[in-house]
Amino acid sequence: MPIANEPAELFRHVSAEKAVIYRRIMEVFAAAKRQYRLQLRPDEVLSEARWPDTPPRIEEVNAALAQLALWGNLQSQADTARVATLGDFYRARFLYRLSQGGEAVETALAVFMQTLKRRAELQTVALEDIASRLLALKALLDTATAAAGLDVARAHEILRD
């Protein structure tokens, strides 16, 4: 499975003009992959996505799918399963699947979002260690006299710890 020429292209959908549509589409593909559904049609994407407001038209979804395929997030192939007439055969219909690069981007974005949601907090034990080191440094400074000077090696050890 070829990856896009530029790996940065795989992330273009995150900041593109229609980023909301692109992200919703990619979320549908990531969820489908977890359910072992590898290929989706545009109408399935339209119905399964959690659109923030009113759903876009199918033409917008088709255009977004084509753009995601150009960026390398999706792969497309001709869909001949629903052909009922000769006109249907000549009309471009595609099945889409998550590309290797698209899957990597979705995994990276999921880890990124989890990391952002995690609260940055120090554990109680770490705070106690910091407090004890500060007290030791204060005691060292209090015992230093003009004549004896500061025990530089000990101060360095406390600051390093």
Side-chain angles (χ1 to χ4, degrees), residues 59-76:
E59 294 81 15
E60 288 180 89
V61 172
N62 279 323
L65 289 166
Q67 184 60 61
L68 286 165
L70 281 174
W71 286 330
N73 299 88
L74 300 176
Q75 294 175 332
S76 64

Side-chain angles (χ1 to χ4, degrees), residues 48-138:
E48 293 178 27
R50 293 182 316 206
W51 305 107
D53 299 319
T54 58
R57 296 184 337 266
I58 190 68
E59 294 81 15
E60 288 180 89
V61 172
N62 279 323
L65 289 166
Q67 184 60 61
L68 286 165
L70 281 174
W71 286 330
N73 299 88
L74 300 176
Q75 294 175 332
S76 64
Q77 70 181 55
D79 179 12
T80 56
R82 292 186 177 176
V83 174
T85 67
L86 187 58
D88 286 343
F89 181 78
Y90 288 111
R91 190 174 307 125
R93 295 177 186 268
F94 295 98
L95 284 170
Y96 293 91
R97 69 182 294 157
L98 205 53
S99 69
Q100 184 179 9
E103 186 175 352
V105 167
E106 288 305 301
T107 301
L109 290 174
V111 170
F112 177 74
M113 292 307 294
Q114 285 176 341
T115 304
L116 283 181
K117 289 179 183 176
R118 211 177 325 141
R119 289 180 37 179
E121 55 187 45
L122 291 174
Q123 297 177 353
T124 306
V125 174
L127 290 174
E128 290 172 1
D129 286 347
I130 291 169
S132 70
R133 298 299 190 275
L134 288 173
L135 289 173
L137 188 58
K138 183 182 182 319

